[in-house]
């Protein structure tokens, strides 16, 4: 028997040409090639970030990186923030913790993701209760959440009045005795994270402290008492609760400088005396003017009376002439002769 007896015939051999000609097989091969090409592109573009997240236990999947890239999210920021959070041991809760979806949502809302993560880590190190939702809300409200956490740990000092916004370098208040005191205070505040959203800012603290200092000095009987015990001002201002509804908590109020100014009470008294003098002078001038007017009126009346006298004297000759013409004018001698009993002239 021949060695080639058991070999298949040419007709029984597989038809590779027909298989290649099959359109379904061609489409499958092309699809596999495309998938391999896409896989290679994905690995080349996102493989480094995915491997970095995987080795850091950040739990960021490859399809999440692709989706964030399509939504134009900065992948490096999200991956770095998630790695920092996981390495710091914060936000591990799957419901309320720092998830990739929350980081992406905060980034798309215009927030500063790295600032929020740094603030949460700093608060965690300082044993301050600050979760991601509150930190993100503070950041989206326009406040610097990292600076707020730092101020909570390290209180900062505010000058009252603020030299950067006020033209005056001191506060001016007047005691009951009328003496002016010029005061410069320093307010130590700490951020109140629970009231940071919607709470009043530093300007409100400065205004309230300034009002409290002026009120305390104004209620003092003597400026010397205030200068001897400036701590009474701080105590009185702190008891007023000026940090209510603000983003800060007042730690202390220190009177840095207090200097006496003008004696405003004495100056006001001098001004009042001068005003009274002017009023008296005006009243005297008014009386003098009335007297002068009265004098002029009397002179006019005297002149009128003199004119009447002259007029009456001018009428005497006329009356005598009229009496002579009418025969009613008699001399004294004629009257005695006629027996009228008149004396002889």
């Amino acid at each position: 028997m021949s060695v080639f007896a058991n070999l298949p015939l040419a007709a029984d051999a597989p038809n590779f040409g027909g298989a290649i000609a099959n359109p379904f097989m061609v489409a499958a091969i092309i699809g596999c090639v495309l998938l391999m090409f896409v896989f290679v592109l994905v690995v080349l573009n996102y493989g480094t970030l995915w491997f970095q997240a995987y080795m850091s236990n950040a739990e960021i999947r490859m399809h999440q990186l692709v989706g964030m890239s399509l939504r134009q999210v900065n992948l490096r920021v999200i991956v770095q923030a998630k790695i920092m959070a996981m390495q710091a041991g914060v936000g591990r809760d799957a419901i309320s913790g720092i998830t990739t979806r929350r980081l992406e949502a905060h980034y798309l809302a215009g927030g500063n993701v790295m600032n929020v993560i740094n603030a949460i880590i700093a608060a965690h190190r300082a044993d301050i209760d600050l979760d991601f939702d509150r930190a993100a809300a503070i950041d989206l409200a326009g406040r610097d959440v990292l600076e707020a956490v730092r101020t909570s740990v390290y209180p900062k000092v505010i000058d009252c009045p603020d030299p950067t916004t006020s033209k005056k370098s001191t506060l001016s208040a007047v005691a009951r005795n009328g003496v002016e005191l010029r005061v410069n205070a320093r307010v130590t505040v700490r951020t109140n994270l629970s009231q940071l959203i919607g709470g009043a800012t530093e300007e409100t603290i400065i205004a309230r402290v300034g009002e409290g200092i002026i009120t305390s000095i104004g209620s003092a009987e003597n400026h010397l008492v205030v200068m001897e015990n400036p701590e009474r001002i701080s105590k009185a201002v702190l008891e007023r609760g000026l940090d209510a509804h603000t983003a800060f908590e007042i730690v202390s109020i220190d009177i840095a400088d207090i200097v006496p100014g003008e004696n405003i009470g004495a100056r006001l008294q001098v001004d009042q005396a001068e005003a009274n003098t002017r009023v008296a002078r005006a009243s005297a001038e008014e009386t003098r003017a009335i007297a002068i007017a009265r004098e002029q009126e009397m002179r006019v009346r005297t002149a009128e009376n003199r004119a009447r006298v002259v007029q009456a004297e001018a009428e005497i000759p006329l009356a005598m002439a009229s009496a002579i013409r009418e025969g009613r004018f008699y001399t004294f001698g004629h009257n005695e002769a006629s027996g009228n009993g008149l004396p002889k002239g």
Side-chain angles (χ1 to χ4, degrees):
M1 176 181 283
S2 174
V3 180
F4 300 98
N6 295 327
L7 294 177
L9 298 176
D12 298 331
N15 189 0
F16 292 100
I20 295 175
N22 191 345
F24 296 102
M25 185 66 66
V26 173
I29 294 174
I30 294 175
C32 291
V33 173
L34 291 177
L35 288 177
M36 290 296 297
F37 180 73
V38 171
F39 178 77
V40 172
L41 288 180
V42 170
V43 171
L44 290 177
N45 290 328
Y46 309 107
T48 304
L49 291 176
W50 176 83
F51 186 74
Q52 182 181 0
Y54 176 78
M55 295 302 295
S56 302
N57 197 21
E59 299 179 357
I60 299 179
R61 296 178 175 84
M62 187 69 73
H63 69 275
Q64 292 178 329
L65 295 175
V66 175
M68 286 188 290
S69 178
L70 294 176
R71 289 186 288 271
Q72 296 183 354
V73 176
N74 193 330
L75 300 180
R76 294 189 179 277
V77 172
I78 303 300
V79 172
Q80 185 178 358
K82 189 67 176 295
I83 291 174
M84 289 175 59
M86 294 299 105
Q87 293 299 319
V90 296
R92 294 184 178 276
D93 190 358
I95 298 177
S96 61
I98 303 175
T99 62
T100 305
R101 186 180 297 275
R102 289 192 170 190
L103 293 174
E104 181 184 357
H106 187 65
Y107 180 88
L108 293 175
N112 191 336
V113 175
M114 295 304 300
N115 208 33
V116 170
I117 296 301
N118 289 327
I120 295 175
I121 294 174
H124 177 71
R125 293 288 187 269
D127 198 16
I128 298 175
D129 186 15
L130 179 65
D131 55 7
F132 180 80
D133 291 336
R134 182 182 297 177
I138 294 173
D139 183 65
L140 292 178
R143 301 289 182 88
D144 191 344
V145 60
L146 181 58
E147 181 64 24
V149 173
R150 290 175 179 172
T151 307
S152 297
V153 179
Y154 302 102
K156 66 178 181 178
V157 179
I158 304 174
D159 290 328
C160 181
D162 190 357
T164 60
T165 59
S166 178
K167 296 181 180 179
K168 297 182 178 180
S169 59
T170 58
L171 294 172
S172 179
V174 181
R176 289 188 177 181
N177 62 344
V179 178
E180 177 192 19
L181 291 178
R182 297 173 183 175
V183 181
N184 186 7
R186 308 194 73 185
V187 185
T188 304
V189 296
R190 180 171 50 218
T191 303
N192 189 353
L193 294 175
S194 61
Q195 296 182 0
L196 189 58
I197 301 177
T201 57
E202 297 179 9
E203 287 78 7
T204 303
I205 294 290
I206 295 174
R208 290 182 179 180
V209 171
E211 179 186 359
I213 292 175
I214 294 174
T215 303
S216 300
I217 295 177
S219 61
E221 293 291 340
N222 196 314
H223 71 285
L224 297 176
V225 177
V226 179
M227 296 186 67
E228 292 174 357
N229 301 305
E231 66 275 4
R232 61 177 296 176
I233 301 178
S234 304
K235 186 181 297 185
V237 174
L238 286 174
E239 290 176 354
R240 295 168 62 93
L242 301 179
D243 53 2
H245 306 291
T246 64
F248 299 94
E249 177 186 353
I250 297 178
V251 179
S252 65
I253 300 176
D254 303 317
I255 304 300
D257 189 15
I258 179 169
V259 178
E262 300 180 6
N263 194 337
I264 297 179
R267 190 182 66 184
L268 292 177
Q269 292 178 0
V270 171
D271 294 341
Q272 184 64 39
E274 292 180 356
N276 294 336
T277 302
R278 294 192 188 99
V279 171
R281 289 177 180 175
S283 179
E285 290 293 333
E286 182 181 2
T287 304
R288 181 172 175 272
I290 293 175
I292 293 174
R294 184 68 177 173
E295 180 183 1
Q296 296 295 329
E297 183 181 357
M298 292 296 102
R299 289 180 180 180
V300 171
R301 290 184 180 180
T302 302
E304 290 178 354
N305 293 332
R306 288 178 179 176
R308 290 175 184 175
V309 171
V310 173
Q311 183 179 4
E313 290 177 351
E315 292 178 356
I316 292 176
L318 297 177
M320 292 176 63
S322 176
I324 293 172
R325 285 194 302 269
E326 295 176 0
R328 294 183 289 104
F329 184 80
Y330 302 97
T331 62
F332 289 100
H334 178 72
N335 292 334
E336 289 179 356
S338 59
N340 291 333
L342 294 174
K344 190 174 198 177

